[in-house]
Amino acid sequence: MKHTDDLFAAALGGELGPDPAQSTATSVFWIHHGTRLAGGDVTYLNQYVLVRLGGSFGGCAFEAGEIGPEVCRAASGSPLDALLRDGPRPLRIAALDAYLAELRPHRDAADAEPVTLPAGPPEVRAVARDTAIAGLLDLPPGARVGLIGVVNPLVAAIRERGGTPLPCDFNLRTTQWGDEVTDDMHQVLDTADAVVATGMTLGNGSFDTILERCRSRAVPLIVYAQSGSAVARAFLGAGVTALSAEPFPFSQFSAEPSTLYRYRAASGS
């Protein structure tokens, strides 16, 4: 697969598994929440659309106002192929994510490394998660790490591993420490020695551009995904070097121990 459109086409064509027309998206969820970590000055506002298929959930973040809560009534109970074909891109990604996760759940994947996030407050769990993500980087000290989709604990985790973050985000202008945040990902993609990108890039359509640029420059691409974690997994070894996959329910929705799954292209997909 070269791009996400190829993956949609393969799924709809029955090339990856059962015909999606024969599957039903039992439930569609719409979630909007805010988070401000202790000591921080940024309130993260996140919206997710989620699709349940059998024993699996697919999810994708979206920008404010892009999808309304009425999607729950309109899409719940739809044939899966209808959600893969039509509607806002984040809903289509969530449906594809659910389909791929149902074919091969992260918990059953032989090439997945489970990482347990500890019980505790959001600050403890966020630091543990972002430390696990940064642990997928294997770079010399001082390497420039493009961070597309900025969360402050991940900026700190990259620095702790000796990297120099190049932060990029549509909604933030500075990090907690005053680092300038660009909204032009091309500046980052042209200069970074490695790129760490959020799964939300799948929903806003920038993932394919990031994937292609990292391939052409032979730059490692690490994806940290709540959004589209099974979708991003499909590109391991085909542009994606490593993946931190966090299927729903996401860590911020619980204070109990939870699991994310780390993949590396060298271990196969």
Side-chain angles (χ1 to χ4, degrees):
M1 304 294 168
K2 289 188 175 181
H3 302 101
T4 51
D5 283 350
D6 299 328
L7 198 57
F8 277 114
L12 286 165
E15 298 173 26
L16 306 178
D19 182 357
Q22 304 304 313
S23 297
T24 299
T26 309
S27 302
V28 174
F29 304 76
W30 184 94
I31 298 176
H32 185 170
H33 75 99
T35 299
R36 178 176 289 195
L37 298 176
D41 59 359
V42 175
T43 300
Y44 300 99
L45 297 175
N46 298 308
Q47 298 81 212
Y48 297 93
V49 62
L50 301 156
V51 173
R52 183 165 191 175
L53 177 68
S56 300
F57 291 86
C60 190
F62 59 89
E63 295 291 346
E66 189 176 1
I67 299 175
E70 62 274 6
V71 70
C72 302
R73 178 186 294 274
S76 294
S78 296
L80 189 69
D81 67 318
L83 300 188
L84 291 173
R85 284 193 174 94
D86 301 316
R89 182 177 176 84
L91 177 60
R92 295 178 64 223
I93 289 291
L96 182 61
D97 191 37
Y99 179 71
L100 296 175
E102 183 72 354
L103 292 178
R104 189 162 74 99
H106 292 295
R107 62 182 175 273
D108 297 335
D111 53 337
E113 174 199 359
V115 176
T116 300
L117 304 181
E123 294 76 16
V124 169
R125 288 171 58 75
V127 168
R129 180 197 64 193
D130 293 340
T131 298
I133 295 167
L136 292 167
L137 287 164
D138 184 16
L139 295 168
R144 295 164 297 180
V145 181
L147 179 57
I148 300 178
V150 175
V151 287
N152 284 313
L154 186 49
V155 173
I158 290 170
R159 282 207 174 99
E160 287 172 5
R161 293 190 66 83
T164 300
L166 304 177
C168 175
D169 197 286
F170 286 139
N171 299 310
L172 294 179
R173 298 282 67 85
T174 62
T175 70
Q176 180 178 339
W177 303 275
D179 308 283
E180 183 178 350
V181 178
T182 182
D183 61 0
D184 183 358
M185 70 176 183
H186 297 285
Q187 293 179 3
V188 170
L189 294 175
D190 288 344
T191 59
D193 301 309
V195 173
V196 180
T198 174
M200 189 174 179
T201 58
L202 286 159
N204 66 26
S206 60
F207 177 79
D208 288 336
T209 299
I210 296 167
L211 189 69
E212 190 62 41
R213 190 69 180 122
C214 289
R215 282 178 184 148
S216 67
R217 294 188 59 226
V219 168
L221 172 59
I222 294 87
V223 180
Y224 66 104
Q226 292 181 336
S227 296
S229 59
V231 178
R233 182 178 62 183
F235 295 94
L236 272 171
V240 173
T241 308
L243 167 68
S244 172
E246 191 179 340
F248 186 80
F250 307 139
S251 58
Q252 63 266 40
F253 297 139
S254 175
E256 299 302 314
S258 60
T259 305
L260 61 79
Y261 300 88
R262 299 199 303 185
Y263 295 82
R264 293 174 174 84
S267 64
S269 173

